[in-house]
Amino acid sequence: MTFQEVVNALGRFWSERGCLLITPYNSEVGAGTMNPGTFLRVLGPEPWKAAYIEPSKRPKDGRYGENPNRVQQFNQYQVILKPAPDDVLPLYVESLEAIGIDRSRHDIRLLEDDWESPTLGASGLGWEVWLDGMEITQFTYFQQAGGLELDPISAEITYGLERICMYIQGVDDIMEIEWGNGIRWGDLNRQGEKEFSEFHFEAADVSVCFGIFEKYQQEAARMLGMGLILPGYDYILKCSHIFNVLDARGAISVSERTSYIGKIRDLSRMAAGRYVAQREELGFPLLKREKAGRRKSG
Amino acid sequence: MKKDFLLEIGCENLPSGYIDDAVAQLERSFRETLKSQRLPFESIGVSGTPNRLVVLVKQLAPMQETKVETVTGPPVSVAVDKDGNYTRAALGFAEREGIEPDSLKRISTGKGEYLAIERKISGRSAGKILAENVPALISGIRFPKAMKWDGSGFRFARPVRWVLALFGDAVIKIRVGNVVSSGSTGLSPFSRERVGVDGIGDYFSALKKHGIILDNAERKKQVSAMAARAAAETGGHLVEDDGLCSMVANLLESPVVMSGKFDRSFLELPREVIVTALKSHQRYFSVEGAGGGLKPAFIAFADGATRNRKEIVKGYERVLQARLADARFYFNEDTSAPLGKMAEKLEGIVWLEGLGTLRQKAERLEVLCGWLLERIETVEPGIEETTARAARLAKADLASEMVKDGKEFTLLQGYIGREYARASGEPDPVCEAIYEHYFPRFSGDRLPEGEAGTLVSIADKLDTIAGCHIQGLGPTGSQDPYALRRQAISILRIMIERRLTVSLREAAARGIDIFREEGLLPGDEDGKRVFAEVLDLFAQRFNTMLRGEGFDHDLVTSVLSSPWEVPYAVRDAVRGLQEMRGNGSLSDFILAMKRIINIIPKERRERISGASGREALDGLAERDESRLGVKRSLFSEKEEQLFFDASCEAASRLAGLEFPAETARFLEILPGIVPAVNAYFDKVLVNCDDSAVRENRLSFLTDLYKAFGLFCDYSQIAGEQA
């Protein structure tokens, strides 16, 4: 299976099981969790089922396109199920079958992994999923986001697409993954890896970055204050990304680190709290829609 | 009829570290509950896998035991009149309890004879009791972390997906969150399928048929045996690892062992790097060859996979290959420059906020080691250079690619330092000291062997303890994030077992002073608070440690309440006191000492410091009236003079002891003055009418109190009352 076939198969599998196929976010994120389709939608009582691919940017992991396993931008396939269905683990294993991984022919294991995002004020309990010794998925029952206790609980399934494709295609180098139609991952992304590694590690202007971090931070707070939650959240994501760039650039000392993370977390909390209040004012629209849907089908 | 009871809590994979403890908790809580519910049984067995916690109660009684309850009524003196008839009090009691007066009984109590009734409370059925109590036993399991997963709000380590509860053949209905019990089990968390079982026997055979080993201890034994066998089949033998066995056994239900290989070229890496890559990352076991060197092979376990093994092993090998390639990348990067160069990078790593960088810590270690070196006898040639170099390089590996940023190899700090030091051509003793300075890392761990390693180890821990206290990060209650208690115990253990004659008091003061000299003591600190807290930490840990060895609490406290200096001398003194208590010679000695202490008015019994005690001791030893508060011309009794002479003689011998190395020998000297003490107090009235004489006597006794109090606070010792 090519990379794009895997993405399509997962999309088909989850859309058939009631997920909306939404789009990746249009701003840099470190993980699919930061897409408002997860971070904001898991808040409050409204049901939500969505699946999407998310290009995830981790400046520190860049290796100039020279390491077979590490890149600064990789792809996650993110599935968020709210509330978490009782058969979420069987569903997950069936989704693997949809991309050609047969449980009876592999060692599929769940290893305790408690997930925590200090910048999002979010945490959950779950596992890393190992396929024959390789981590291919993060599986998390969200407990908290933006500092708020969650109810209902969402299940988050994050597939590491490159890892899975390397396994399926039997290649040892990420660059060798066939994306589709004979074009390889490296053909598409090697140059980007090289350029972004150089940017993150050497070229990024530290004082410019510090300056825009501050501006983004102020703008995020201002937007949230005005009740413009989505623009506010957008600027939080920008802060988070610039922080990651500065961190990769080696510009943030150990003691500053904690304080920067704290700044982003405070904004995330503010966004989460205001988002829930706003949805409540709107009368939790998706809750109503679910009831209406039930009436119709019932 | 007695029947077995079976409970299975079916879960999505529990963390491997939680299972053994949950099993122990269930065993305890079931035992207690059945006992308090008057339900006799033959045995309770609890076992667990990542996917199920299972309780089997054998031969459980069908009904609670009948209980006889006695209700006491009015006393017979009131309830029965002189003709032997029941009075109104008796009849009222019978009516209130709803029985005929004929059924009233008499019982005798401590307060006399009373009317009473006895009522049999017949038991309820075990099924009902179980249904009522089991949910609380399940929710009562305490896990390090628990979670919610559905609208019930029920919390457990991981989601509970089914509950099987059978009493004999009957299902006991219970509800755990949203799950209602049934007579079915699940064979895999990945499957929706539930398998109905036909009674308890069938349950166990169904699991067995599926290759599930329920018992956690048994599973561990099998994992260990299977790993050893598989290693032998590769032509080597297993690198034993009990912790890894426990972890692997609780990561699966149906162990299937496999062996794989890795590229021989990775064997150039230091051994522990390979072992750690296999273990921490992948939970694989390492294999040794006949000569003790590693073989390019590993042993791994799959859960229940019996098909397609070749491909599974290929998967294992590929992941491991990538991990080892990472390790080799780190190793090559790190060893491309000498360790001394790497030590310079410590400049850029903050140790603790407000306490500077790791480079500064290394510099402090060098200073503190130098100070310690001046105070101990050493035998190793060139120890000064070795220690200084080792202190400089001890933390260098924290700047290495291999160790930094908290990855799996971070566990190898010290070891990596030694390997890199060797690669840089550092002398052997320096390399060893770098490795050893982290020891002992936990209770029962080995101590550093070499002198340099010993000194750097003490200096490092003392520096951490001092620094954390300066920042107000000392341990409180159950909080000790920097493991300062453990480090204090480590210092004590080293100083005792190596019989180091360094004053811990002075060393702590010096350690704090070095921060001051570096300008790292905040402006409003004179170091006194820090010093007091650090000493208190040592005294508390020392106390716990000595009591843990079996010494009596009061004896430990008595010596630790003196101005002690050298840990091993403290332990020697406590041991000496304990021996005296054992052979019956302690009483007389302590009684005599307490006679001296107790007569001194409380306000004059100041806390004895090393200096004030020493001043008094020297004054006595030299019979120097000008330094003491005593005039012999005012002595009026023969016993007074004799006591003075005996005390000064003892003081002179005590002053002649080597301080602080052999202070515990005060126990060989001081008991000798007991007859003189007793003769004095039997004959001499200290608090006499003549105020000058009285003052002279009290003043002399106060000198003795101070001088002898250097070694022990006798008033803390129990049982021997003056």
Side-chain angles (χ1 to χ4, degrees):
Chain A
M1 264 180 143
T2 62
F3 187 94
Q4 64 193 28
E5 282 165 352
V6 167
V7 175
N8 283 337
L10 287 174
R12 196 160 49 243
F13 178 88
W14 286 109
S15 77
E16 283 167 5
R17 278 149 193 86
C19 285
L20 295 177
L21 298 185
I22 63 168
T23 51
Y25 204 52
N26 56 356
S27 175
E28 296 98 336
V29 292
T33 309
M34 301 170 90
N35 186 314
T38 292
F39 179 72
L40 293 178
R41 294 289 183 184
V42 298
L43 300 165
E46 295 170 276
W48 178 251
K49 283 181 175 188
Y52 52 96
I53 186 173
E54 189 70 64
S56 304
K57 218 162 174 65
R58 309 253 170 105
K60 251 187 163 171
D61 286 346
R63 294 291 185 273
Y64 298 85
E66 287 163 11
N67 184 296
N69 295 299
R70 270 182 220 277
V71 287
Q72 55 84 40
Q73 183 174 311
F74 63 104
N75 293 282
Q76 295 182 337
Y77 200 85
Q78 169 87 354
V79 177
I80 192 82
L81 302 170
K82 176 190 177 189
D86 289 348
D87 61 347
V88 58
L89 271 186
L91 274 173
Y92 168 69
V93 172
E94 284 156 15
S95 77
L96 292 183
E97 275 158 24
I99 51 173
I101 299 168
D102 174 0
R103 165 163 92 92
S104 69
R105 298 181 59 78
H106 293 280
D107 180 33
I108 296 175
R109 304 285 285 281
L110 303 177
L111 279 95
E112 166 193 14
D113 190 28
D114 298 341
W115 171 83
E116 197 172 346
S117 164
T119 47
L120 294 179
S123 64
L125 270 62
W127 308 274
E128 326 175 337
V129 182
W130 283 16
L131 170 67
D132 298 341
M134 180 170 66
E135 184 192 340
I136 55 164
T137 301
Q138 284 279 337
F139 193 111
T140 308
Y141 289 99
F142 274 16
Q143 304 289 303
Q144 258 201 2
L148 302 173
E149 288 290 324
L150 299 180
D151 182 20
I153 299 292
S154 301
E156 180 196 57
I157 303 173
T158 305
Y159 303 80
L161 285 173
E162 280 79 5
R163 293 268 186 91
I164 289 176
C165 288
M166 282 168 78
Y167 195 91
I168 292 177
Q169 299 180 12
V171 297
D172 290 327
D173 187 338
I174 204 166
M175 299 294 160
E176 294 304 314
I177 294 171
E178 186 188 351
W179 190 286
N181 305 329
I183 302 291
R184 316 221 154 248
W185 202 98
D187 299 334
L188 294 175
N189 297 321
R190 191 191 296 274
Q191 184 62 21
E193 284 300 312
K194 196 165 159 288
E195 290 183 15
F196 274 109
S197 295
E198 196 173 325
F199 171 67
H200 295 141
F201 293 133
E202 301 163 49
D205 186 317
V206 171
S207 67
V208 168
C209 287
F210 275 122
I212 57 180
F213 181 92
E214 197 157 315
K215 291 217 161 64
Y216 285 159
Q217 186 198 342
Q218 288 161 0
E219 194 66 350
R222 198 170 71 88
M223 291 299 111
L224 294 175
M226 290 172 69
L228 299 175
I229 314 298
L230 294 175
Y233 184 65
D234 234 17
Y235 279 81
I236 299 174
L237 293 181
K238 291 182 200 298
C239 282
S240 169
H241 174 63
I242 292 298
F243 166 76
N244 288 339
V245 173
L246 283 165
D247 197 25
R249 190 79 174 78
I252 294 191
S253 75
V254 177
S255 48
E256 285 170 332
R257 219 184 133 73
T258 325
S259 109
Y260 275 96
I261 289 175
K263 284 176 194 169
I264 303 172
R265 187 183 48 233
D266 290 346
L267 288 170
S268 303
R269 291 192 166 181
M270 207 195 293
R274 307 228 161 158
Y275 174 78
V276 175
Q278 187 193 55
R279 295 300 292 180
E280 189 169 9
E281 271 169 39
L282 294 172
F284 294 125
L286 292 181
L287 209 54
K288 286 186 194 152
R289 195 167 291 279
E290 185 196 40
K291 280 184 192 146
R294 231 185 261 147
R295 264 201 303 277
K296 245 185 252 166
S297 61
Chain B
M1 203 183 71
K2 290 183 174 177
K3 288 178 287 188
D4 293 350
F5 170 69
L6 174 71
L7 173 73
E8 180 191 53
I9 310 160
C11 333
E12 295 179 0
N13 291 44
L14 298 170
S16 66
Y18 292 9
I19 295 169
D20 291 351
D21 192 49
V23 164
Q25 290 184 50
L26 273 176
E27 143 109 55
R28 205 165 44 236
S29 64
F30 260 86
R31 198 172 286 284
E32 282 166 8
T33 301
L34 293 178
K35 195 170 161 230
S36 72
Q37 291 295 338
R38 310 191 316 277
L39 283 172
F41 55 88
E42 188 189 284
S43 65
I44 291 183
V46 184
S47 47
T49 77
N51 299 118
R52 59 202 86 231
L53 296 170
V54 178
V55 182
L56 176 65
V57 182
K58 283 211 162 147
Q59 295 293 298
L60 181 65
M63 300 285 284
Q64 286 179 308
E65 284 175 326
T66 304
K67 189 166 78 171
V68 179
E69 190 186 64
T70 305
V71 183
T72 309
V76 169
S77 56
V78 176
V80 182
D81 65 20
K82 57 183 185 300
D83 301 327
N85 297 319
Y86 285 133
T87 63
R88 287 242 298 275
L91 298 172
F93 171 58
E95 195 182 325
R96 270 197 309 282
E97 295 298 327
I99 59 158
E100 293 301 314
D102 292 351
S103 311
L104 288 170
K105 294 200 164 75
R106 293 181 185 203
I107 55 165
S108 44
T109 73
K111 288 184 269 172
E113 223 181 347
Y114 278 74
L115 285 191
I117 57 163
E118 281 179 349
R119 188 179 285 141
K120 272 191 187 163
I121 300 180
S122 44
R124 299 169 58 217
S125 83
K128 285 205 177 99
I129 302 292
L130 288 167
E132 282 169 17
N133 286 278
V134 168
L137 297 181
I138 297 173
S139 62
I141 303 174
R142 291 284 158 257
F143 295 105
K145 273 189 196 168
M147 58 171 280
K148 293 186 289 191
W149 61 92
D150 63 22
S152 72
F154 190 84
R155 291 172 72 85
F156 209 67
R158 288 293 183 275
V160 174
R161 292 303 182 198
W162 75 87
V163 172
L164 177 149
L166 287 176
F167 186 31
D169 292 332
V171 172
I172 300 283
K173 278 283 173 215
I174 53 173
R175 178 179 268 276
V176 178
N178 285 343
V179 176
V180 176
S181 63
S182 71
S184 300
T185 182
L187 292 174
S188 161
F190 299 135
S191 167
R192 293 182 191 82
E193 197 187 335
R194 300 288 176 256
V195 181
V197 299
D198 193 11
I200 293 174
D202 187 44
Y203 167 80
F204 287 104
S205 45
L207 292 198
K208 198 167 174 190
K209 208 174 100 198
H210 207 69
I212 294 171
I213 303 172
L214 258 186
D215 187 76
N216 30 328
E218 171 63 23
R219 212 166 46 248
K220 181 178 168 188
K221 235 165 62 191
Q222 293 217 18
V223 161
S224 168
M226 288 163 87
R229 231 175 9 247
E233 277 165 21
T234 68
H237 60 266
L238 191 71
V239 176
E240 306 259 350
D241 188 332
D242 191 61
L244 185 56
C245 273
S246 301
M247 186 193 288
V248 167
N250 278 340
L251 278 174
L252 42 68
E253 307 202 274
S254 318
V256 175
V257 70
M258 306 192 188
S259 61
K261 297 190 190 73
F262 57 85
D263 199 311
R264 180 169 290 277
S265 67
F266 288 118
L267 291 176
E268 296 158 15
L269 288 169
R271 175 193 169 105
E272 291 307 313
V273 169
I274 298 174
V275 172
T276 303
L278 266 64
K279 171 185 175 170
S280 302
H281 258 311
Q282 299 301 129
R283 278 75 166 178
Y284 301 164
F285 292 85
S286 301
V287 181
E288 277 175 342
L294 288 184
K295 287 171 70 78
F298 64 86
I299 306 300
F301 283 83
D303 192 6
T306 47
R307 294 203 286 147
N308 198 29
R309 290 197 191 193
K310 249 193 180 151
E311 202 183 326
I312 293 175
V313 169
K314 225 171 84 190
Y316 291 167
E317 287 175 344
R318 276 173 41 186
V319 184
L320 182 62
Q321 200 82 2
R323 299 290 190 196
L324 290 172
D326 272 350
R328 177 149 64 194
F329 172 79
Y330 299 143
F331 185 80
N332 290 342
E333 284 284 298
D334 289 342
T335 50
S336 63
L339 190 62
K341 259 275 170 292
M342 198 178 285
E344 288 169 17
K345 290 194 202 157
L346 295 176
E347 185 85 61
I349 303 180
V350 172
W351 173 48
L352 278 174
E353 196 149 359
L355 294 173
T357 65
L358 280 172
R359 173 81 178 266
Q360 285 171 288
K361 183 172 175 75
E363 284 165 6
R364 284 195 305 274
L365 296 192
E366 201 178 330
V367 177
L368 193 50
C369 280
W371 183 91
L372 288 167
L373 256 176
E374 287 168 16
R375 281 158 185 81
I376 62 164
E377 285 174 35
T378 57
V379 290
E380 283 181 24
I383 183 71
E384 288 85 1
E385 294 74 34
T386 303
T387 309
R389 186 76 185 148
R392 235 343 127 98
L393 297 179
K395 301 295 177 192
D397 63 359
L398 297 182
S400 70
E401 293 295 325
M402 192 75 87
V403 175
K404 75 177 186 191
D405 293 342
K407 37 184 168 285
E408 66 285 0
F409 300 115
T410 303
L411 298 169
L412 294 180
Q413 59 181 15
Y415 173 83
I416 295 294
R418 177 180 73 185
E419 297 305 307
Y420 289 177
R422 278 187 185 152
S424 312
E426 295 290 338
D428 267 356
V430 172
C431 302
E432 281 307 312
I434 292 170
Y435 174 53
E436 289 195 319
H437 93 276
Y438 284 108
F439 293 108
R441 297 156 302 176
F442 47 86
S443 147
D445 194 18
R446 52 161 288 205
L447 301 184
E449 296 286 333
E451 287 182 346
T454 300
L455 293 174
V456 181
S457 173
I458 293 174
D460 180 31
K461 293 169 179 66
L462 201 51
D463 182 76
T464 300
I465 290 172
C468 285
H469 279 90
I470 287 172
Q471 286 294 311
L473 301 172
T476 50
S478 60
Q479 300 292 308
D480 184 12
Y482 297 93
L484 303 182
R485 291 183 176 126
R486 178 176 56 72
Q487 300 198 56
I489 290 177
S490 296
I491 291 176
L492 290 167
R493 273 190 60 203
I494 296 173
M495 292 186 74
I496 289 169
E497 289 183 40
R498 299 283 176 261
R499 294 189 79 78
L500 297 184
T501 51
V502 182
S503 163
L504 184 54
R505 202 172 281 270
E506 286 175 26
R510 182 68 194 120
I512 296 164
D513 242 25
I514 298 173
F515 281 97
R516 189 209 314 279
E517 288 160 15
E518 270 199 334
L520 289 173
L521 204 60
D524 53 344
E525 283 277 4
D526 57 5
K528 271 194 190 140
R529 168 193 69 87
V530 180
F531 181 70
E533 285 178 11
V534 168
L535 268 207
D536 195 46
L537 171 71
F538 277 113
Q540 282 185 25
R541 287 306 102 196
F542 208 172
N543 194 311
T544 310
M545 186 173 153
L546 290 170
R547 277 188 294 149
E549 281 189 65
F551 295 117
D552 292 345
H553 178 243
D554 60 327
L555 302 182
V556 171
T557 310
S558 72
V559 182
L560 285 176
S561 301
S562 74
W564 61 278
E565 309 257 1
V566 175
Y568 80 78
V570 170
R571 192 175 171 284
D572 287 353
V574 172
R575 198 180 49 200
L577 288 166
Q578 190 77 55
E579 272 170 23
M580 287 175 73
R581 179 167 277 169
N583 65 29
S585 62
L586 187 66
S587 283
D588 285 351
F589 172 48
I590 298 305
L591 191 66
M593 290 297 124
K594 284 187 180 173
R595 287 182 97 167
I596 297 173
I597 297 166
N598 288 349
I599 204 152
I600 302 167
K602 280 228 164 64
E603 64 275 11
R604 293 175 72 156
R605 290 188 226 156
E606 59 184 70
R607 192 168 174 83
I608 300 155
S609 71
S612 67
R614 187 70 211 198
E615 172 69 17
L617 186 67
D618 288 342
L620 287 168
E622 288 159 29
R623 303 179 185 229
D624 181 350
E625 287 189 9
S626 68
R627 291 163 70 182
L628 301 167
V630 63
K631 292 195 184 74
R632 267 173 284 186
S633 56
L634 288 174
F635 286 173
S636 58
E637 310 274 348
K638 181 182 73 188
E639 287 77 11
E640 212 171 355
Q641 182 60 47
L642 289 174
F643 180 37
F644 180 82
D645 289 341
S647 301
C648 293
E649 171 58 25
S652 137
R653 288 177 60 201
L654 289 170
L657 292 176
E658 199 180 309
F659 268 72
E662 42 172 37
T663 49
R665 293 182 59 196
F666 80 97
L667 288 174
E668 296 167 18
I669 299 166
L670 212 41
I673 68 161
V674 170
V677 177
N678 289 335
Y680 174 83
F681 282 104
D682 290 348
K683 279 286 164 56
V684 177
L685 182 63
V686 175
N687 289 313
C688 60
D689 291 337
D690 183 330
S691 66
V693 172
R694 184 173 70 227
E695 181 49 38
N696 193 49
R697 286 174 182 163
L698 283 175
S699 176
F700 170 56
L701 291 169
T702 306
D703 284 329
L704 294 185
Y705 161 78
K706 286 186 202 162
F708 300 159
L710 258 182
F711 309 95
C712 175
D713 180 353
Y714 312 94
S715 68
Q716 302 278 347
I717 296 179
E720 287 82 7
Q721 288 304 321

